[in-house]
Amino acid sequence: ADLPPAAPTTLAADLAGPALEDILLSWRPSSDDGGGAGNVVAYEMWSGRTHDSTGASYTLLATLPPGTASYLDAGAGVGDTSNRFYQLRVVNARNQTASAAEQAGKFTRFVGAGDALLSVPLAQTDWNLTAVLQTIPWTRARTYVNDGGPGVWLSNVVGKPGATLTALDLRTAVWVNVSADAWWSVAGLVPAST
């Protein structure tokens, strides 16, 4: 059968490097990587500044050899104020392609000193509050939780023990007090739905 290669699976996108200046993308290779009629000849990383669910508007960022399971987009992390989206494609010997179902991305937003209401638009590898807010100088974070009963405020104050807010998720909006103007950046997987 003349079938396209099995799609790879995008696993994660994380800020990387000493100053979090890069984006590290990782994936599980195609099951056709390493043999068979549909043998993989390359992986392609495509990227765009605005999200496109089909990836059709993205441009080719890199072509990578078979067996590759990660790519470092140098300089695309902290310090780069653009949003970025990534689609991984696999190419076989007959030049047929398949795209990973999951896209990755980096979201960046300017946050002025004072209180800001933030929500995380990308699924994180590490949902710990300090990891999610690692690119901004925050002093306090709080959110209101109401799961059917009486609501309660959860909070975390830097340097103060007894934090009740330690992790976030895709559904959480959080008030964050920022001590100085900063760019907030997060990298992760684009959710299929919110």
Side-chain angles (χ1 to χ4, degrees):
D2 192 23
L3 298 173
T9 304
T10 304
L11 298 176
D14 295 294
L15 296 173
L20 305 176
E21 70 276 16
D22 307 322
I23 299 174
L24 179 63
L25 301 143
S26 58
W27 59 89
R28 184 171 39 252
S30 164
S31 59
D32 289 320
D33 191 338
N39 194 16
V40 169
V41 296
Y43 289 94
E44 296 177 341
M45 186 61 69
W46 292 74
S47 182
R49 301 286 171 109
T50 55
H51 183 254
D52 176 348
S53 61
T54 67
S57 67
Y58 295 173
T59 57
L60 181 62
L61 185 62
T63 302
L64 308 161
T68 306
S70 66
Y71 174 73
L72 188 74
D73 191 3
V78 172
D80 169 38
T81 57
S82 313
N83 292 331
R84 294 181 180 269
F85 296 92
Y86 300 92
Q87 183 183 64
L88 178 67
R89 300 177 193 169
V90 63
V91 184
N92 71 8
R94 293 185 300 277
N95 209 34
Q96 296 170 303
T97 64
S99 300
E102 313 79 8
Q103 286 193 24
K106 181 201 77 173
F107 172 80
T108 299
R109 173 184 158 186
F110 178 78
V111 181
D115 286 321
L117 183 61
L118 305 177
S119 65
V120 186
L122 301 169
Q124 301 294 290
T125 302
D126 182 356
W127 281 103
N128 185 295
L129 182 69
T130 55
V132 174
L133 300 179
Q134 67 185 330
T135 66
I136 55 175
W138 66 282
T139 59
R140 180 183 66 242
R142 54 196 171 92
T143 190
Y144 188 77
V145 178
N146 182 350
D147 287 330
V152 60
W153 280 95
L154 303 179
S155 67
N156 190 321
V157 178
V158 173
K160 185 176 175 185
T164 53
L165 175 61
T166 56
L168 300 175
D169 62 39
L170 281 171
R171 301 171 299 130
T172 305
V174 61
W175 283 103
V176 179
N177 182 268
V178 182
S179 58
D181 291 357
W183 285 90
W184 177 51
S185 297
V186 289
L189 297 184
V190 177
S193 64
T194 53

Short mmCIF file of all heavy atoms in Angstrom, two decimals, residues 111-115 136-140 176-182:
data_model
loop_
_atom_site.label_atom_id
_atom_site.label_comp_id
_atom_site.label_asym_id
_atom_site.label_seq_id
_atom_site.Cartn_x
_atom_site.Cartn_y
_atom_site.Cartn_z
N VAL A 111 4.05 42.58 30.66
CA VAL A 111 3.32 42.75 31.92
C VAL A 111 3.94 43.94 32.65
O VAL A 111 5.14 43.93 32.96
CB VAL A 111 3.41 41.48 32.81
CG1 VAL A 111 2.64 41.67 34.09
CG2 VAL A 111 2.92 40.26 32.05
N GLY A 112 3.14 44.97 32.88
CA GLY A 112 3.63 46.15 33.58
C GLY A 112 3.68 45.92 35.08
O GLY A 112 2.98 45.04 35.61
N ALA A 113 4.51 46.68 35.76
CA ALA A 113 4.61 46.58 37.22
C ALA A 113 3.23 46.79 37.84
O ALA A 113 2.45 47.62 37.38
CB ALA A 113 5.60 47.61 37.74
N GLY A 114 2.94 46.03 38.89
CA GLY A 114 1.64 46.10 39.56
C GLY A 114 0.89 44.80 39.40
O GLY A 114 1.49 43.75 39.16
N ASP A 115 -0.44 44.85 39.54
CA ASP A 115 -1.25 43.65 39.44
C ASP A 115 -1.67 43.39 38.00
O ASP A 115 -2.08 44.29 37.29
CB ASP A 115 -2.51 43.78 40.31
CG ASP A 115 -2.21 43.65 41.80
OD1 ASP A 115 -1.36 42.80 42.14
OD2 ASP A 115 -2.81 44.38 42.60
N ILE A 136 9.11 36.40 35.01
CA ILE A 136 8.72 37.72 35.53
C ILE A 136 9.05 37.82 37.02
O ILE A 136 9.01 36.82 37.73
CB ILE A 136 7.22 38.03 35.29
CG1 ILE A 136 6.31 36.92 35.86
CG2 ILE A 136 6.94 38.26 33.82
CD1 ILE A 136 4.83 37.22 35.77
N PRO A 137 9.36 39.04 37.51
CA PRO A 137 9.66 39.23 38.94
C PRO A 137 8.36 39.39 39.75
O PRO A 137 7.94 40.49 40.05
CB PRO A 137 10.50 40.51 38.94
CG PRO A 137 9.95 41.31 37.80
CD PRO A 137 9.56 40.30 36.75
N TRP A 138 7.75 38.27 40.09
CA TRP A 138 6.47 38.32 40.80
C TRP A 138 6.69 38.24 42.31
O TRP A 138 7.65 37.66 42.79
CB TRP A 138 5.53 37.22 40.31
CG TRP A 138 5.99 35.82 40.62
CD1 TRP A 138 6.94 35.10 39.96
CD2 TRP A 138 5.52 34.98 41.66
NE1 TRP A 138 7.09 33.86 40.50
CE2 TRP A 138 6.23 33.76 41.57
CE3 TRP A 138 4.57 35.12 42.67
CZ2 TRP A 138 6.02 32.70 42.45
CZ3 TRP A 138 4.37 34.07 43.55
CH2 TRP A 138 5.08 32.88 43.43
N THR A 139 5.78 38.87 43.04
CA THR A 139 5.89 38.88 44.51
C THR A 139 4.70 38.18 45.16
O THR A 139 4.80 37.69 46.27
CB THR A 139 5.94 40.33 45.04
OG1 THR A 139 4.75 41.01 44.63
CG2 THR A 139 7.17 41.06 44.51
N ARG A 140 3.56 38.15 44.44
CA ARG A 140 2.34 37.55 45.01
C ARG A 140 1.46 37.05 43.86
O ARG A 140 1.36 37.71 42.83
CB ARG A 140 1.56 38.59 45.82
CG ARG A 140 0.29 38.08 46.47
CD ARG A 140 -0.49 39.18 47.19
NE ARG A 140 -1.00 40.19 46.26
CZ ARG A 140 -0.65 41.48 46.27
NH1 ARG A 140 0.19 41.94 47.17
NH2 ARG A 140 -1.15 42.33 45.39
N VAL A 176 -1.48 38.34 39.50
CA VAL A 176 -0.06 38.30 39.84
C VAL A 176 0.42 39.72 40.08
O VAL A 176 0.17 40.61 39.26
CB VAL A 176 0.76 37.65 38.69
CG1 VAL A 176 2.24 37.64 39.04
CG2 VAL A 176 0.26 36.25 38.40
N ASN A 177 1.11 39.94 41.22
CA ASN A 177 1.72 41.24 41.47
C ASN A 177 3.16 41.15 40.97
O ASN A 177 3.93 40.30 41.39
CB ASN A 177 1.70 41.60 42.95
CG ASN A 177 2.30 42.98 43.18
OD1 ASN A 177 3.49 43.10 43.43
ND2 ASN A 177 1.48 44.01 43.03
N VAL A 178 3.50 42.05 40.05
CA VAL A 178 4.81 42.07 39.41
C VAL A 178 5.56 43.31 39.91
O VAL A 178 5.02 44.41 39.90
CB VAL A 178 4.65 42.09 37.86
CG1 VAL A 178 5.99 42.07 37.17
CG2 VAL A 178 3.78 40.92 37.42
N SER A 179 6.81 43.10 40.36
CA SER A 179 7.55 44.21 40.99
C SER A 179 8.20 45.17 39.98
O SER A 179 8.58 46.27 40.35
CB SER A 179 8.62 43.66 41.93
OG SER A 179 9.51 42.82 41.24
N ALA A 180 8.32 44.75 38.71
CA ALA A 180 8.90 45.62 37.68
C ALA A 180 8.36 45.19 36.32
O ALA A 180 7.96 44.05 36.14
CB ALA A 180 10.43 45.51 37.69
N ASP A 181 8.34 46.13 35.36
CA ASP A 181 7.91 45.79 34.00
C ASP A 181 8.71 44.59 33.49
O ASP A 181 9.92 44.52 33.71
CB ASP A 181 8.16 46.97 33.05
CG ASP A 181 7.25 48.15 33.32
OD1 ASP A 181 6.38 48.06 34.21
OD2 ASP A 181 7.40 49.17 32.62
N ALA A 182 8.04 43.66 32.82
CA ALA A 182 8.73 42.47 32.31
C ALA A 182 7.93 41.84 31.18
O ALA A 182 6.75 42.13 31.00
CB ALA A 182 8.93 41.46 33.44
#
